[in-house]
């Protein structure tokens, strides 16, 4: 037996997984004695992939035998990552871009991309995806490049493989990055091969407006949503936000349209920011801010009053815009750091976007799921049982300390679990050992490591 859930019949409440409990391996019937953000200690009952009930701890009997001992844990909505680049992830060591700006990063990636095949992309992408799951993320939208050399769809095929292999533990959406040089038939082939949305970065095309219209034409022809990199710069007149919002404002409400980055909005005057918020809200365009990458890339040419490289998140929220936050690049030419952990993104939102803790966490959970078109999740009746249990006393501790002890549920099933083992003797003043995160083995563990 491992140390995750316990049977109702156990005399000692150790955490263990009873063999064959539930309709599928890792299925959970109850999380017992867990704390919510409002301070209540409750039992969270789960039926299939849905939270069925939340009641004061110990007041009812669980419906099934698979019970997680949640004492000492805080129950949170599992994070979602609304903007990743899994095909680029973990390539920093191989690329080593000569500079740190966007143009140098693009050049370094394109030079490296011609040397890799589908299997190489798949290997890095699935490692990055597993790290996200281990840290609590249960849904990801990843952009993926089309390639001008060799098989143009090798990145798409690699991510489709990742999606299939991790289907039981992760909801993966794929947005294909269509450049102005990519023929429309290649974009059509990418959707046919399994990509979900049309993407691109028209602000770097020779004619941003024309490229924006071309990408939207493709999405409409193919019946997909669209997720564009929008105005990822601080200075210049080549913005295409207005073109984008004007064009998709007539789309049906349930058709996804997303604008990532939107750095330029943060450099506008207050009236300009308010106008942008109105346009985004009216057109029902969700915005994804990406602090770690844009803090790294943007503002390098400024020596005083350096811009943050972020959209004005608070002004957008106040203007009725749906806003999410993601990590974007992780250890690739566009960003040499990153932990694949939503607590890192939330921390940067608090520091750089001046958000309160609760709003920062909303952007990496509920806000991210809304932008991605996913059903609401969290420890509330009727919501999907995508949950993150963290050994912490409150949200401040979660975001500040990123505690290692975590249990991750996707659709009511345990998909990862880690514990922190620390030996402490209060009678001995000697230094305690360095905490070592241990991946608790479960039948559905998705990670070989604990980073």
């Amino acid at each position: 037996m491992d140390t995750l859930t316990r049977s109702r019949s156990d005399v000692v409440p150790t955490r263990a997984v009873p063999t064959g409990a539930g309709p599928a391996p890792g299925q959970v019937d109850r999380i017992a004695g867990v704390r919510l953000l409002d301070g209540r200690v409750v039992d969270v009952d789960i039926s299939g992939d849905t939270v069925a009930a939340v009641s004061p701890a110990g007041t009812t009997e669980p419906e099934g035998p698979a019970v997680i001992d949640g004492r000492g844990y805080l129950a949170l909505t599992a994070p979602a990552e609304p903007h990743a680049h899994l095909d680029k992830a973990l390539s920093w060591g191989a690329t080593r871009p000569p500079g740190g700006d966007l143009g140098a990063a693009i050049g370094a990636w394109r030079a490296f991309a011609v040397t890799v095949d589908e299997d190489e992309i798949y290997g890095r992408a699935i490692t990055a995806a597993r790290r996200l799951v281990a840290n609590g993320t249960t849904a990801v939208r990843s952009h993926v490049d089309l390639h001008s050399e060799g098989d143009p769809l090798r990145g798409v095929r690699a991510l489709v493989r990742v999606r299939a292999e991790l289907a039981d533990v992760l909801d993966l959406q794929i947005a294909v990055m269509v450049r102005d040089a990519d023929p429309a038939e290649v974009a059509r082939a990418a959707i046919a091969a399994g990509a979900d949305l049309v993407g691109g970065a028209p602000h770097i095309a020779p004619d941003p407006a024309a490229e924006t219209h071309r990408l939207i034409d493709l999405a409409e022809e193919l019946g997909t949503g669209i997720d564009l990199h929008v105005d990822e710069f601080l200075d210049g007149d080549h913005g295409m936000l207005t073109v984008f919002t004007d064009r998709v404002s007539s789309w049906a409400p349930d058709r996804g349209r997303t604008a990532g980055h939107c750095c330029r909005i943060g450099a506008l005057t207050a009236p300009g920011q308010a106008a942008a918020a109105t346009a985004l809200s009216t057109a029902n365009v969700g915005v994804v801010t990406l602090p770690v990458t844009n803090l790294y890339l943007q503002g390098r040419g400024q020596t005083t009053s350096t811009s943050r490289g972020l959209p004005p998140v608070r002004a957008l929220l106040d203007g009725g815009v749906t806003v999410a936050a993601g990590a974007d690049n992780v250890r690739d030419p566009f960003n040499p750091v990153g932990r694949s952990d939503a607590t890192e993104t939330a921390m940067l939102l608090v520091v750089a976007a001046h958000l309160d803790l609760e709003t920062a966490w909303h952007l990496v959970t509920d806000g991210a799921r809304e932008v991605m078109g996913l059903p609401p999740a969290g420890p509330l009746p009727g919501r999907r049982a995508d949950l993150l249990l963290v050994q912490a006393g409150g949200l401040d501790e979660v975001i500040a300390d990123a505690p290692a002890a975590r249990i991750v549920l996707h659709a009511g099933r345990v998909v990862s679990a880690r514990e922190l083992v620390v030996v402490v003797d209060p009678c001995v003043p000697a230094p305690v050992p360095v905490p070592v995160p241990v991946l608790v083995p479960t039948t559905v563990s998705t990670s070989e490591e604990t980073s």
Side-chain angles (χ1 to χ4, degrees):
M1 298 177 75
D2 61 33
T3 54
L4 181 59
T5 62
R6 63 182 173 88
S7 169
R8 174 172 47 179
S9 60
D10 290 343
V11 176
V12 180
T14 57
R15 291 188 292 276
V17 176
T19 303
Q27 189 70 47
V28 172
D29 299 310
R30 168 174 286 187
I31 306 167
V34 72
R35 185 178 299 276
L36 301 181
L37 282 175
D38 61 11
R40 289 181 295 147
V41 177
V42 300
D43 295 335
V44 178
D45 289 313
I46 297 171
S47 177
D49 64 358
T50 303
V51 175
V54 177
S55 54
T59 58
T60 63
E61 285 291 310
E63 293 296 324
V67 179
I68 293 178
D69 180 7
R71 291 174 299 178
Y73 283 85
L74 187 68
L76 303 166
T77 304
E81 173 54 70
H83 187 121
H85 287 268
L86 293 179
D87 62 326
K88 297 180 174 72
L90 310 180
S91 63
W92 171 267
T95 55
R96 295 286 180 177
D101 64 359
L102 182 59
I106 292 173
W109 167 252
R110 290 181 179 172
F112 173 69
V114 301
T115 70
V116 301
D117 60 14
E118 178 185 321
D119 288 339
E120 194 278 342
I121 297 169
Y122 164 82
R124 288 184 290 99
I126 198 163
T127 297
R130 283 171 170 160
R131 291 180 180 181
L132 284 161
V133 173
N135 284 322
T137 295
T138 60
V140 174
R141 177 180 291 175
S142 178
H143 298 261
V144 59
D145 281 11
L146 295 172
H147 294 266
S148 56
E149 302 283 344
D151 176 11
L153 301 183
R154 60 186 181 271
V156 174
R157 292 193 176 98
L159 263 63
V160 169
R161 287 169 58 188
V162 172
R163 180 172 63 195
E165 183 162 339
L166 300 184
D168 290 339
V169 303
L170 179 70
D171 297 317
L172 177 57
Q173 301 175 351
I174 302 171
V176 58
M177 290 280 291
V178 183
R179 298 173 301 173
D180 62 285
D182 293 322
E185 57 265 27
V186 177
R188 296 184 186 105
I191 297 299
D196 303 294
L197 303 102
V198 170
H203 62 277
I204 63 175
D207 187 338
E211 182 63 6
T212 300
H213 284 296
R214 184 177 83 104
L215 295 175
I216 296 172
D217 287 344
L218 276 170
E220 290 179 342
E221 171 197 332
L222 297 169
T224 72
I226 194 164
D227 188 334
L228 298 183
H229 290 53
V230 174
D231 298 355
E232 191 180 357
F233 59 91
L234 298 175
D235 301 299
D237 59 0
H238 54 298
M240 35 68 66
L241 176 65
T242 301
V243 176
F244 183 35
T245 55
D246 284 352
R247 179 67 189 275
V248 300
S249 61
S250 61
W251 278 16
D254 60 348
R255 190 170 195 172
R257 55 275 220 182
T258 306
H261 297 287
C262 296
C263 307
R264 179 62 176 153
I265 304 177
L268 300 177
T269 63
Q273 293 180 5
T278 298
L280 288 161
S281 177
T282 301
N284 197 29
V285 174
V287 170
V288 180
T289 181
L290 302 156
V292 65
T293 292
N294 287 132
L295 289 171
Y296 173 74
L297 289 175
Q298 307 299 328
R300 286 179 173 266
Q302 301 175 349
T303 57
T304 60
S305 301
T306 304
S307 301
R308 286 184 165 92
L310 305 181
V313 177
R314 175 53 64 188
L316 295 180
L317 289 169
D318 291 345
V321 181
T322 300
V323 184
D328 199 3
N329 303 89
V330 176
R331 293 173 51 198
D332 68 18
F334 300 80
N335 169 34
V337 296
R339 299 197 308 265
S340 299
D341 189 346
T343 65
E344 179 181 51
T345 301
M347 177 273 293
L348 289 170
L349 291 171
V350 172
V351 173
H354 294 165
L355 299 184
D356 58 86
L357 296 167
E358 291 75 16
T359 302
W361 191 251
H362 169 83
L363 262 60
V364 300
T365 54
D366 295 329
R369 293 186 69 87
E370 185 174 355
V371 164
M372 296 171 68
L374 297 171
L380 289 172
R383 291 198 171 196
R384 181 170 162 127
D386 277 33
L387 304 170
L388 172 61
L389 311 183
V390 184
Q391 208 167 78
L395 188 58
D396 56 338
E397 189 176 338
V398 172
I399 294 176
D401 293 342
R406 306 184 192 188
I407 300 172
V408 186
L409 280 74
H410 172 262
R413 299 174 60 242
V414 175
V415 295
S416 182
R418 300 184 308 185
E419 286 192 342
L420 190 65
V421 178
V422 184
V423 179
V424 179
D425 186 348
C427 300
V428 179
V432 300
V434 175
V436 178
V438 177
L439 180 64
V440 178
T442 76
T443 55
V444 288
S445 174
T446 62
S447 174
E448 301 94 2
E449 60 189 64
T450 59
S451 61

